[in-house]
Amino acid sequence: MAKTTETTITFSKSYSYEGKEYESVDLSGIENLTGDDLLAADKVFAETGGFAPAPELTLPYAFAIASASANLPLEFFGGLPAKDALKVKNTVVRFLNN
């Protein structure tokens, strides 16, 4: 059974990205993000045509934060199976709202 720790997400199954297999993703870098990182996530969200009263609750915004946290490209997160993509989103949202 896949599990999610506070900042490390174990995937429900092995995930292949650019020839490398991933069993999990470490988002512990989220602890070191700054306001500028949040502004960059806002920019990514806006560039995708996103609009929401609370963008920090959306998948594109969460992926931008996760990308900065894990030092992985946005495309890494976009290719995740839906179940694991939502684990990433929920982890980011939970962190930002605590």
Side-chain angles (χ1 to χ4, degrees), residues 39-85:
L39 289 171
D42 281 339
K43 183 176 179 183
V44 168
F45 180 70
E47 288 172 352
T48 63
F51 174 78
E56 69 276 8
L57 301 177
T58 67
L59 200 56
Y61 190 94
F63 282 177
I65 294 295
S67 175
S69 300
N71 200 26
L72 289 165
L74 278 172
E75 295 79 12
F76 173 90
F77 296 96
L80 285 171
K83 182 176 186 174
D84 296 324

Side-chain angles (χ1 to χ4, degrees), residues 2-84:
K3 66 177 183 171
T4 302
T5 62
E6 193 167 324
T7 57
T8 299
I9 299 158
T10 302
F11 299 139
S12 55
K13 62 182 179 180
S14 183
Y15 172 59
S16 180
Y17 180 77
E18 293 190 344
K20 184 176 176 187
E21 293 295 315
Y22 293 84
E23 301 295 326
S24 63
V25 65
D26 179 4
L27 301 181
S28 61
I30 200 168
E31 299 277 346
N32 301 317
L33 296 182
T34 66
D36 285 338
D37 295 308
L38 298 179
L39 289 171
D42 281 339
K43 183 176 179 183
V44 168
F45 180 70
E47 288 172 352
T48 63
F51 174 78
E56 69 276 8
L57 301 177
T58 67
L59 200 56
Y61 190 94
F63 282 177
I65 294 295
S67 175
S69 300
N71 200 26
L72 289 165
L74 278 172
E75 295 79 12
F76 173 90
F77 296 96
L80 285 171
K83 182 176 186 174
D84 296 324

